[in-house]
């Protein structure tokens, strides 16, 4: 399944591949000083190539769009309009993306959910649009892509040889 539809849906909501790659670079650069934004974008695309990630994005974006058109039943419509802090379903959905790459993805997601850097901040301060799900989905994508890079970092210590150096 192609990640092009997911990229198109993100772009329609104001999110570019470059926006997400910038967040990934910010997360991973302290651990990999040769990392490029292009490598980060490749990692985002790899995460987006997973069907479960695409399905999660489709679902969250659809719910945000339905809320903007006032098509959700009450009390869900009002909860979405107020971006109710105790809703939590938005974070729960995004965790489906995060868990593809383990605990490092989870901790990065928590960090991004609190810091709200880059496009995540812009989405969270949405104005007239509803991005209850999208800001968390983008954080989940960035966290998963960042974790993927961390898992592939060749500079990490190999503990399998039994040495204590």
């Amino acid at each position: 399944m192609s990640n092009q539809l997911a990229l198109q849906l993100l772009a329609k909501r104001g999110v570019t591949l470059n926006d997400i790659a910038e967040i990934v670079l910010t997360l991973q650069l302290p651990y990999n000083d040769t990392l490029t934004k292009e490598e980060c974008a490749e990692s985002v695309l790899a995460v987006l190539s997973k069907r479960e990630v695409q399905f999660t994005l489709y679902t969250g974006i659809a719910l945000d769009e339905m809320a903007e058109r006032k098509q959700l039943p009450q009390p869900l419509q009002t909860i979405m309009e107020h971006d109710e802090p105790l809703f939590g379903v938005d974070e729960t959905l995004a965790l489906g993306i995060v868990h593809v790459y383990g605990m490092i993805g989870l901790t990065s997601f928590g960090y991004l959910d609190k810091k709200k850097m880059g496009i995540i901040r812009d989405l969270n301060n949405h104005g007239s649009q509803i991005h209850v799900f999208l800001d968390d989905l983008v954080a989940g994508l960035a966290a998963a892509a960042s974790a993927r890079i961390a898992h592939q970092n060749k500079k990490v210590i190999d503990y399998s040889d039994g040495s204590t150096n």
Side-chain angles (χ1 to χ4, degrees), residues 22-84:
E22 285 180 14
I23 296 169
V24 174
L25 184 63
T26 300
L27 288 174
Q28 281 300 305
L29 201 56
Y31 310 104
N32 185 343
D33 59 358
T34 61
L35 187 64
T36 66
K37 193 186 301 182
E38 291 74 26
E39 291 170 309
C40 295
E42 288 173 21
S43 190
V44 172
L45 289 172
V47 173
L48 276 174
S49 71
K50 296 186 171 292
R51 277 183 289 187
E52 64 267 37
V53 171
Q54 294 170 16
F55 296 160
T56 302
L57 283 172
Y58 302 160
T59 303
I61 291 170
L63 287 167
D64 282 348
E65 289 176 340
M66 289 175 71
E68 284 177 2
R69 293 189 302 264
K70 300 191 181 303
Q71 294 178 330
L72 296 174
Q74 290 298 345
L76 185 56
Q77 181 65 44
T78 303
I79 290 167
M80 293 278 290
E81 288 172 356
H82 289 98
D83 198 359
E84 170 59 47

Side-chain angles (χ1 to χ4, degrees), residues 3-164:
N3 53 22
Q4 291 306 305
L5 178 58
L7 286 170
Q8 290 170 5
L9 289 172
L10 287 167
K12 180 180 165 192
R13 302 295 292 171
V15 179
T16 67
L17 177 61
N18 187 61
D19 292 331
I20 303 168
E22 285 180 14
I23 296 169
V24 174
L25 184 63
T26 300
L27 288 174
Q28 281 300 305
L29 201 56
Y31 310 104
N32 185 343
D33 59 358
T34 61
L35 187 64
T36 66
K37 193 186 301 182
E38 291 74 26
E39 291 170 309
C40 295
E42 288 173 21
S43 190
V44 172
L45 289 172
V47 173
L48 276 174
S49 71
K50 296 186 171 292
R51 277 183 289 187
E52 64 267 37
V53 171
Q54 294 170 16
F55 296 160
T56 302
L57 283 172
Y58 302 160
T59 303
I61 291 170
L63 287 167
D64 282 348
E65 289 176 340
M66 289 175 71
E68 284 177 2
R69 293 189 302 264
K70 300 191 181 303
Q71 294 178 330
L72 296 174
Q74 290 298 345
L76 185 56
Q77 181 65 44
T78 303
I79 290 167
M80 293 278 290
E81 288 172 356
H82 289 98
D83 198 359
E84 170 59 47
L86 293 178
F87 183 52
V89 178
D90 45 340
E91 284 90 358
T92 303
L93 191 63
L95 288 174
I97 296 172
V98 171
H99 284 303
V100 172
Y101 291 98
M103 287 305 295
I104 188 72
L106 180 62
T107 57
S108 294
F109 175 74
Y111 176 77
L112 290 174
D113 192 40
K114 290 293 178 202
K115 283 293 260 182
K116 302 208 185 302
M117 63 178 64
I119 190 68
I120 299 166
R121 178 186 55 251
D122 298 342
L123 293 169
N124 193 61
N125 301 331
H126 45 74
S128 63
Q129 288 186 305
I130 294 178
H131 295 130
V132 171
F133 284 90
L134 188 58
D135 64 330
D136 293 304
L137 294 171
V138 170
L141 264 173
S146 175
R148 181 180 177 274
I149 290 169
H151 283 286
Q152 295 175 348
N153 188 346
K154 304 220 184 317
K155 295 180 183 179
V156 298
I157 299 170
D158 181 4
Y159 294 102
S160 63
D161 67 359
S163 68
T164 57

